[in-house]
Amino acid sequence: MKPMSLLIDMLIILEVTIKYIEAGKHNKKQKERNVTTQVSVYEIKLFLSNILERRNSINVINEKENLLEKKENQHNLGIKEIQNKDLWKREKNHLGKQAKKNTIDEGDQLFKMGLKILHQSKSQKQKAEAYLLFAKAADMGNLKAMEKMADALLFGSFGTQNVTAAIQLYESLAKEGSYKAQNALGFLSSYGIGMEYNQAKALIYYTFGSAGGSMMSQMILGYRYLSGINVLQNCEVALNHYKKVADYIADKLEKSEGIPVEKVRLTERPENLSSNSEILDWDIYQYYKFLAERGDVQIQVSLGQLHLIGRKGLDQDYFKALYYFLKAAKAGSANAMAFIGKMYLEGNAAAPQNNATAFKYFSMAASKGNAIGLHGLGLLYFHGKGVPVNYAEALKYFQKAAEKGWPNAQFQLGFMYYSGSGVWKDYKLAFKYFYLASQSGQPLAIYYLAKMYATGTGVLRSCRTAVELYKGVCELGHWAEKFLTAYFAYKDGDIDSSLVQYALLAEMGYEVAQSNSAFILESKKAKILEKEKMYPMALLLWNRAAIQGNAFARVKLGDYHYYGYGTKKDYQTAATHYSIAADKHRSAQAMFNLAYMYEHGLGITKNIHLARRLYDLAARTSPDAHIPVFFALVKLETVHLLRDILFCNNVSHQQFTMRWKWMNLGHTLGPHWDLFVIGLIVAVLIFLLRNHYG
């Protein structure tokens, strides 16, 4: 029976080997023909569920094989049998290695194909095809594909959110040294999403993640040491973490424009949120297209810019960008000419890299005095693209463009003086131009300013300033794309997916993400956290956002302490937060709330005069406060007029006390008696107006 079982094993292995070879050939042909498989979300879910099952099955099979080998060792006593066994094992190992190699190669190929489709995808259908390829590659043991699928499970890509399965996959990946998995497990531990809430454990995961090369873990640790979150506040350690990430981002920025970050605040009013300036509404986009086709040059240039870098929710589309720029250039737009020159200088699918064409369009724009065109010519002479390197010419063009306020030219001047390229090194002039460019948000200028503050080059060293500047550069990383996907998930009603994405960004120190996460938690619509944890977690996030200067978050902290949401009621702390928001941020809401507290002596000494002043100041600060302030003042004056009448009457002290107790409506009508009085005043006013016009 032994030779028969040996033969069966060999046939099985050969069959598996042939299967993988044929699959490899099939995929190669499929790639050559550029054929993509049409898939459904159901298939993706199926593969996702099979990944963990397959990994568990492999472990079980290995255990069984080990057990069989032990039994065979007990029976193989003869020399001939031992030789046969060795031969069989060698053959089996060889075939196993070959099959494994074929599987790994096929997994890598599928992963690369998936990445290519994902980067070129313009529809959900194409993205689904990419994720199916990732699922297949992950099923073959490809670690990068498994990371992609774990992320898909966690963030809910294509409606497949499954936090429990994601955690299982991350834990399996973490054992194999995946720094992305370490970072994800740290994030989940820090919020208690699907795992035990454990900040110490989160810190360990982040430390391992950063040691393995996770830029996100580096950024999280930088923010924690900057703010003193579960670690001792240490600016120098924060600087070290942020610098590593900023160096990585700066290298990417030098090669391209970087990723534009569209940060939508969910705390805005619903009517503003639906037509948010950060995201271009589809109807408005169609209207802009109509105007562009009718010959509106300004709109043509604007649409070209939006498609060039993929702004305001629009996909990056070089062909559309070039189309609109060419239309505007024919109409004489210098900006359009300069942008065409930029496209040919950098090179892309629509405009292949061509220095001569870039020079032509930059020259056309520069002849009209266009700053972008002048800067483009400066770049050509600085780098020697299509023309000999000429620092003097480059300096001349950069100076002309900088005088017109173009931030990229200001940065280039700063860089020339910083590095001594064609000029004497002059750190003071370098600092001047970097600072000017940074005021317009030029990211590389901010990076070099941070570098100068960190090393004390040309300026007094300041760790705090350097960290703040580096933090701004770090927030331009590719991970900021989650702001868009989180926002669209929120709009589509996928609250859990939106919350997880915003929460990750919040953990990395993004103030907008902190307030958005707190806003979602406060609504109690999310299902991935227990309801009793939502207010305390929201309070924590509002606090982090308030520390970073968010006025709305500061008012929210006051509200939480006033009403006892996620903490004990504390009028004194509430008044402190309202005072900070009123004094530092000029918040009308905070002024109104503080006035109310002074009026009633809640947590602070009662002061009617100061209450009146704050009510008036709130009305002057915001037009929206006019009506609430009017009713609040009417109520205040009415109550105190009645008190004065009672006080001025010749009544005994005992009678006055009894009458004033009756006037203390808090005992008569409950804690919200003031709302009752305001409602009564409104009813009287409506009655009088009706009689007047009736």
Side-chain angles (χ1 to χ4, degrees):
M1 292 302 291
K2 186 71 182 174
M4 183 63 70
S5 62
L6 182 65
L7 182 63
I8 290 167
D9 283 340
M10 289 178 71
L11 285 170
I12 290 168
I13 292 164
L14 282 169
E15 187 182 352
V16 171
T17 307
I18 291 163
K19 177 186 171 185
Y20 282 125
I21 290 168
E22 286 177 351
K25 287 178 181 177
H26 173 71
N27 285 328
K28 189 175 180 182
K29 286 178 184 176
Q30 197 174 36
K31 191 176 180 182
E32 288 171 353
R33 292 173 186 170
N34 199 20
V35 177
T36 54
T37 310
Q38 300 300 316
V39 299
S40 66
V41 174
Y42 173 76
E43 288 178 280
I44 295 173
K45 288 181 179 178
L46 200 60
F47 271 100
L48 285 170
S49 62
N50 285 338
I51 293 168
L52 290 169
E53 289 177 14
R54 176 67 64 88
R55 292 185 68 78
N56 292 333
S57 300
I58 289 167
N59 292 333
V60 172
I61 290 165
N62 288 337
E63 286 175 9
K64 286 183 178 179
E65 284 181 353
N66 291 334
L67 189 63
L68 284 169
E69 282 184 15
K70 285 179 183 179
K71 287 181 179 179
E72 285 171 4
N73 287 334
Q74 292 172 2
H75 296 288
N76 293 337
L77 301 173
I79 296 170
K80 191 175 179 180
E81 287 179 346
I82 292 169
Q83 288 174 344
N84 288 337
K85 180 191 168 188
D86 288 342
L87 181 67
W88 172 72
K89 281 178 75 176
R90 281 199 298 271
E91 189 68 24
K92 185 179 178 181
N93 288 338
H94 173 71
L95 291 171
K97 285 177 183 177
Q98 188 64 38
K100 188 177 180 181
K101 185 179 181 299
N102 290 340
T103 305
I104 291 168
D105 290 345
E106 189 180 1
D108 288 341
Q109 195 176 35
L110 288 169
F111 177 72
K112 287 173 184 175
M113 286 172 66
L115 272 183
K116 188 176 179 181
I117 293 170
L118 188 64
H119 289 152
Q120 295 175 352
S121 65
K122 293 181 182 177
S123 67
Q124 289 293 96
K125 195 174 184 180
Q126 287 176 314
K127 287 178 182 177
E129 289 172 6
Y131 272 92
L132 177 60
L133 291 172
F134 291 147
K136 287 179 178 178
D139 201 32
M140 292 173 181
N142 185 284
L143 292 181
K144 289 181 179 178
M146 288 171 68
E147 288 172 347
K148 282 279 186 187
M149 297 317 298
D151 288 345
L153 286 165
L154 177 61
F155 299 120
S157 302
F158 310 106
T160 58
Q161 189 175 34
N162 187 330
V163 176
T164 305
I167 290 169
Q168 289 177 17
L169 203 48
Y170 281 133
E171 286 175 341
S172 176
L173 285 163
K175 288 174 184 175
E176 297 183 38
S178 168
Y179 62 80
K180 288 185 179 179
Q182 298 279 5
N183 181 75
L185 290 171
F187 157 65
L188 293 166
S189 297
S190 69
Y191 281 88
I193 298 173
M195 298 178 72
E196 180 191 1
Y197 176 80
N198 192 324
Q199 289 293 340
K201 204 172 181 180
L203 190 62
I204 293 168
Y205 278 126
Y206 289 142
T207 304
F208 279 116
S210 65
S214 170
M215 291 294 110
M216 293 173 81
S217 289
Q218 291 278 8
M219 196 168 163
I220 290 168
L221 288 173
Y223 177 65
R224 288 196 165 215
Y225 278 103
L226 173 66
S227 307
I229 299 170
N230 298 110
V231 291
L232 289 173
Q233 198 169 17
N234 191 320
C235 184
E236 294 299 332
V237 176
L239 178 65
N240 182 48
H241 285 295
Y242 273 124
K243 185 183 181 302
K244 288 176 183 176
V245 185
D247 289 344
Y248 167 79
I249 300 297
D251 182 59
K252 299 283 185 187
L253 290 171
E254 284 172 355
K255 296 172 185 174
S256 64
E257 285 289 330
I259 296 169
V261 183
E262 316 287 357
K263 299 176 183 176
V264 180
R265 290 190 183 275
L266 301 181
T267 51
E268 290 187 0
R269 291 179 176 183
E271 61 267 24
N272 294 338
L273 190 62
S274 60
S275 59
N276 196 281
S277 60
E278 295 290 340
I279 305 295
L280 192 63
D281 187 78
W282 179 250
D283 293 333
I284 296 172
Y285 172 63
Q286 293 300 319
Y287 178 62
Y288 283 165
K289 280 176 67 178
F290 169 74
L291 291 177
E293 294 301 327
R294 290 285 298 270
D296 190 316
V297 176
Q298 190 176 348
I299 295 294
Q300 288 168 351
V301 174
S302 296
L303 284 177
Q305 285 179 272
L306 291 174
H307 282 298
L308 180 61
I309 52 177
R311 291 298 302 269
K312 295 190 177 294
L314 295 180
D315 290 326
Q316 189 178 50
D317 192 321
Y318 293 120
F319 291 97
K320 285 182 180 178
L322 186 61
Y323 169 77
Y324 286 119
F325 285 144
L326 285 170
K327 284 179 79 71
K330 284 178 185 176
S333 168
N335 274 337
M337 294 170 190
F339 278 116
I340 294 170
K342 183 179 182 296
M343 289 183 75
Y344 278 104
L345 175 63
E346 295 174 354
N348 54 64
Q353 207 284 327
N354 190 312
N355 292 327
T357 308
F359 186 87
K360 170 190 166 185
Y361 279 103
F362 280 141
S363 298
M364 289 166 63
S367 67
K368 293 174 176 283
N370 181 268
I372 307 171
L374 290 164
H375 170 253
L377 288 176
L379 285 176
L380 291 172
Y381 281 109
F382 185 81
H383 295 290
K385 292 192 172 184
V387 292
V389 172
N390 190 327
Y391 289 128
E393 281 292 295
L395 184 67
K396 180 182 77 175
Y397 284 118
F398 288 148
Q399 282 175 335
K400 285 182 179 179
E403 285 168 7
K404 293 178 180 291
W406 185 238
N408 289 353
Q410 291 166 345
F411 161 71
Q412 288 295 341
L413 281 175
F415 182 76
M416 289 183 79
Y417 284 112
Y418 181 84
S419 60
S421 303
V423 293
W424 291 104
K425 278 188 180 181
D426 189 330
Y427 292 126
K428 287 186 178 179
L429 273 176
F431 180 84
K432 171 192 168 184
Y433 285 115
F434 286 149
Y435 180 78
L436 283 171
S438 72
Q439 295 305 292
S440 301
Q442 215 287 345
L444 283 171
I446 297 169
Y447 170 75
Y448 277 97
L449 273 182
K451 207 171 182 179
M452 293 180 83
Y453 275 111
T455 56
T457 305
V459 66
L460 189 66
R461 187 180 187 275
S462 172
C463 177
R464 183 79 190 190
T465 306
V467 168
E468 292 291 347
L469 291 168
Y470 273 140
K471 182 175 182 287
V473 176
C474 294
E475 290 183 355
L476 295 172
H478 62 83
W479 38 78
E481 289 177 334
K482 292 197 183 299
F483 269 106
L484 267 184
T485 53
Y487 171 69
F488 287 126
Y490 181 81
K491 278 195 77 176
D492 293 339
D494 194 350
I495 305 300
D496 285 341
S497 173
S498 179
L499 175 60
V500 171
Q501 293 179 77
Y502 277 133
L504 176 59
L505 293 168
E507 187 76 352
M508 295 170 74
Y510 288 90
E511 177 270 307
V512 175
Q514 288 167 349
S515 59
N516 284 357
S517 300
F519 178 80
I520 292 172
L521 285 167
E522 186 181 274
S523 68
K524 292 195 173 182
K525 292 178 183 177
K527 297 174 183 175
I528 54 173
L529 270 181
E530 293 87 347
K531 287 197 174 181
E532 61 270 15
K533 290 182 181 178
M534 289 189 183
Y535 272 137
M537 187 60 70
L539 178 64
L540 179 75
L541 290 163
W542 284 129
N543 186 56
R544 290 181 186 177
I547 290 168
Q548 296 199 70
N550 186 316
F552 185 85
R554 183 65 68 181
V555 174
K556 277 289 181 183
L557 284 177
D559 292 345
Y560 274 51
H561 284 96
Y562 183 90
Y563 294 107
Y565 295 155
T567 184
K568 291 180 180 179
K569 277 189 181 183
D570 188 339
Y571 290 139
Q572 194 170 355
T573 305
T576 301
H577 286 298
Y578 291 143
S579 296
I580 294 169
D583 297 338
K584 190 176 179 181
H585 304 292
R586 309 296 295 169
S587 167
Q589 181 67 60
M591 292 170 189
F592 185 92
N593 293 354
L594 198 58
Y596 182 86
M597 295 185 82
Y598 272 114
E599 181 187 348
H600 298 279
L602 300 171
I604 44 181
T605 307
K606 191 171 184 177
N607 191 325
I608 300 302
H609 298 294
L610 193 52
R612 286 194 185 101
R613 274 183 59 197
L614 284 165
Y615 279 135
D616 289 336
L617 193 57
R620 287 200 298 270
T621 303
S622 172
D624 293 341
H626 285 165
I627 294 174
V629 165
F630 170 75
F631 286 118
L633 285 172
V634 167
K635 185 261 300 182
L636 186 150
E637 299 300 343
T638 303
V639 169
H640 285 278
L641 176 64
L642 290 171
R643 189 189 69 170
D644 291 342
I645 291 168
L646 287 173
F647 184 74
C648 292
N649 283 340
N650 293 325
V651 294
S652 66
H653 177 73
Q654 186 179 0
Q655 287 176 317
F656 169 75
T657 304
M658 289 176 64
R659 290 183 186 182
W660 183 245
K661 277 184 180 177
W662 179 84
M663 283 301 299
N664 190 356
L665 300 177
H667 296 291
T668 311
L669 300 175
H672 302 294
W673 64 271
D674 50 343
L675 296 176
F676 173 79
V677 172
I678 289 170
L680 189 62
I681 293 167
V682 171
V684 170
L685 285 172
I686 292 169
F687 177 76
L688 291 172
L689 286 169
R690 278 188 176 179
N691 285 343
H692 179 71
Y693 292 105

